[in-house]
Amino acid sequence: MPITPRAYKGMRDHLPEAMRLRRFITDTLIGVLERYGFEPLSTPIVEYSDTLEGKIGDEEKLLYRLKYGDDALTLRYDQTVPLARVVAQNEGKLTMPFKRYALGQSFRGERQARGRYREFWQLDADIVGVDSPIADAEIVAVVVEGLRAIGFTGAKVLLNHREILSGLARVAGVAENEAGGVYRAIDKLDKIGNDGVRNELLKSGVSAEAAERVLHFVGISGSVDAVLAEMESVLANDAPALAAVAALRTICDVLTSFGVPADSFTISPSLARGLSYYTGCVFEAVLDSPPMGSLLGGGRYDNLVGMFSKRSLPTVGCAFGLERLFDLMLELNMGPRPERTIDAYVTLFASDFQNESLRLAGELRAAGLSVLTAYNPVKIANQFKEADRKGANFALVLGPDDLAAGVVQLKDLRTGEQQAVARDAIVAAIKTAL
RNA sequence: GUGGCUAUAGCUCAAUGGCAGAGCGCCUCACUGUGGCUGAGGAUGUUGAGGGUUCGAGCCCCUUUAGCCACCCCA
């Protein structure tokens, strides 16, 4: 009795057509990262459980646990904790600052929702071991450039800073234990509007007066310079928050120096992005048009990567979530058009001549072309049909007449034009016609 | 975690409780050395799974699985 074939819930197969788009996304992004000097890193999908435990609080029930003999193992749920482990384990071999990118899947047993899967691929980029705002700016630049390179030309990065939020809470007179509720509330500003945020603030116990101060602050808008200046005047007496404003100013200056377009980044006082482990700047990439939610996020977390190390390892990074980018690009019909990926399809005329055809295929492959051959000398029309469907640019025929004449029939499947090409000139003919 | 919606051919979807269909795709032929276009023909279903009501269930009821949407939460 055959069982019903099905992929495990929350996990997906990617057929060749989908994989071509996914490869386009990751190849393009990696190209950008390598221009910024990021180096590739790969770590195992499985870690000892004690490496991952205790890092994400009550989310631990989402972890996939494995047992192999006496080994307690866990599938990684992100690529940041493994980064911390590998950095600590190889301190002598890595020169700081360490700029690495890592492409791979992570696993969380979450209930499925739009854009959220139990197996998800991310391309993480982090700069470890330096607290310079230049590093923050590099990460933001990579995000802008990367998103635009894969086709999100309207992508924009919203910037804020953890210490500015803390300073806001202090200046507005919000009790320390209410600050979390404030961050959660203001992060929804775009979604629920001013009144919605006010309700949430009051509901979480913030005084009406403090709520109004918070609302005024998150309403600050305008050019980068104007927003930063206004923030400074509101935060006038809060030294850590003022330092954070200065850091944001430097980041924006550096972005401008890098040539990052001014319309691709802005300061957003309402951006909170969770709170968990960010310690410095935080950012989020959004789409202006069409208006979509967050594309990806990132920021500075100075206490995370050093957790297995004696040294302090300030880190800034981001993670391109492949699932979200992929789903969006499919939905918006983005990405390169399906293209022909096979250079040549060599037909088999008859078993008697198949060695000649296969020898020809071998020569084409040796010349660097991607080549398919027929496997059975079925009716030639069907072989042409298959060549077309597989996306071959050319179909080649070596029949008895051609062998006698010392030629190969070369048909361009894109134009329908066919010519007889001398057997020893065939590689050159294909290469020039490609 | 809460609430709602959906599941029918490979795909997108129809079908008053009464013979399971269409479009696209697929296969064959027109065309025994030439794909796409056109025309003619053909195949395809345990109606997600399990149970129940009924003379009779794709349709109604229960259970289950999976997916989608909103909320919650959030790397």
Side-chain angles (χ1 to χ4, degrees):
Chain A
M1 207 48 167
I3 55 154
T4 307
R6 52 186 192 146
Y8 174 58
K9 65 180 167 189
M11 302 197 184
R12 343 187 244 182
D13 301 311
H14 301 291
L15 301 185
E17 192 188 343
M19 277 310 292
R20 273 193 280 272
L21 176 56
R22 292 171 76 90
R23 280 281 300 274
F24 165 77
I25 296 171
T26 53
D27 288 354
T28 304
L29 294 176
I30 286 172
V32 171
L33 287 166
E34 294 195 329
R35 284 204 299 283
Y36 277 80
F38 286 81
E39 300 180 276
L41 176 76
S42 177
T43 63
I45 286 178
V46 173
E47 293 276 354
Y48 283 111
S49 294
D50 57 10
T51 301
L52 302 184
E53 275 165 358
K55 313 295 190 296
I56 53 170
D58 60 351
E59 302 280 288
E60 299 215 342
K61 58 177 184 279
L62 303 180
L63 302 187
Y64 283 96
R65 298 174 183 283
L66 310 172
K67 221 173 172 54
Y68 186 80
D70 291 332
D71 300 333
L73 308 168
T74 300
L75 295 181
R76 68 179 177 208
Y77 58 84
D78 69 11
Q79 299 191 108
T80 305
V81 174
L83 170 66
R85 177 191 58 73
V86 81
V87 166
Q89 198 177 320
N90 296 276
E91 287 213 51
K93 294 180 197 157
L94 302 171
T95 50
M96 296 294 147
F98 176 47
K99 303 169 73 168
R100 80 91 174 82
Y101 66 85
L103 172 65
Q105 64 268 69
S106 299
F107 301 85
R108 294 184 186 195
E110 300 200 73
R111 176 163 173 168
Q112 220 181 306
R114 179 184 170 80
R116 182 189 288 176
Y117 300 92
R118 291 186 161 188
E119 177 191 36
F120 54 96
W121 286 71
Q122 289 183 322
L123 177 58
D124 283 34
D126 291 278
I127 304 176
V128 181
V130 61
D131 60 8
S132 163
I134 297 175
D136 299 58
E138 276 192 339
I139 293 290
V140 173
V142 154
V143 166
V144 170
E145 227 178 283
L147 289 176
R148 297 201 166 192
I150 58 176
F152 291 103
T153 52
K156 190 169 196 166
V157 169
L158 310 180
L159 288 154
N160 200 3
H161 197 292
R162 202 36 228 288
E163 279 303 327
I164 292 179
L165 291 170
S166 304
L168 166 63
R170 289 189 290 266
V171 168
V174 175
E176 209 162 311
N177 62 344
E178 288 164 355
V182 171
Y183 304 150
R184 266 194 300 277
I186 63 178
D187 203 37
K188 297 182 193 165
L189 179 63
D190 278 345
K191 227 195 247 180
I192 62 180
N194 248 304
D195 295 339
V197 174
R198 180 180 293 111
N199 286 339
E200 296 245 341
L201 287 174
L202 297 177
K203 208 163 32 169
S204 63
V206 176
S207 74
E209 193 187 349
E212 290 315 314
R213 290 207 197 100
V214 169
L215 280 170
H216 167 259
F217 189 84
V218 299
I220 297 173
S221 65
S223 70
V224 167
D225 288 339
V227 172
L228 291 175
E230 174 73 16
M231 281 178 158
E232 265 172 346
S233 79
V234 174
L235 299 168
N237 297 315
D238 196 285
L242 289 178
V245 174
L248 278 190
R249 180 171 287 129
T250 304
I251 291 170
C252 292
D253 286 347
V254 173
L255 286 173
T256 303
S257 301
F258 281 161
V260 175
D263 67 351
S264 64
F265 61 93
T266 182
I267 307 289
S268 169
S270 67
L271 178 69
R273 271 207 73 68
L275 347 147
S276 45
Y277 51 65
Y278 291 110
T279 57
C281 85
V282 291
F283 60 83
E284 191 167 285
V286 297
L287 271 191
D288 264 355
S289 58
M292 289 284 178
S294 158
L295 277 178
L296 66 87
R300 176 167 283 285
Y301 33 98
D302 286 345
N303 303 323
L304 194 56
V305 174
M307 64 185 157
F308 298 113
S309 172
K310 286 181 192 128
R311 294 205 265 164
S312 155
L313 292 168
T315 300
V316 60
C318 66
F320 292 88
L322 191 53
E323 312 308 332
R324 177 120 176 84
L325 295 175
F326 172 77
D327 287 354
L328 256 180
M329 289 178 73
L330 273 189
E331 203 175 313
L332 301 175
N333 201 21
M334 294 167 58
R337 295 300 92 212
E339 54 191 81
R340 293 178 177 266
T341 54
I342 301 293
D343 296 319
Y345 184 100
V346 179
T347 59
L348 292 188
F349 192 84
S351 322
D352 289 352
F353 316 123
Q354 79 177 27
N355 287 339
E356 280 76 4
S357 285
L358 298 177
R359 188 176 303 125
L360 173 60
E363 287 173 25
L364 298 177
R365 287 174 178 144
L369 299 170
S370 63
V371 177
L372 284 177
T373 71
Y375 292 107
N376 293 300
V378 297
K379 185 166 13 180
I380 207 78
N382 290 341
Q383 299 190 38
F384 270 80
K385 189 180 285 188
E386 182 179 339
D388 185 50
R389 271 206 284 239
K390 291 288 187 184
N393 285 310
F394 293 97
L396 282 68
V397 183
L398 256 183
D401 300 346
D402 312 307
L403 285 168
V407 299
V408 177
Q409 295 297 332
L410 176 65
K411 179 161 185 175
D412 189 328
L413 293 172
R414 299 162 298 187
T415 64
E417 283 167 31
Q418 178 167 334
Q419 51 179 324
V421 176
R423 177 66 179 76
D424 54 12
I426 188 67
V427 170
I430 292 178
K431 283 196 162 179
T432 57
L434 270 178

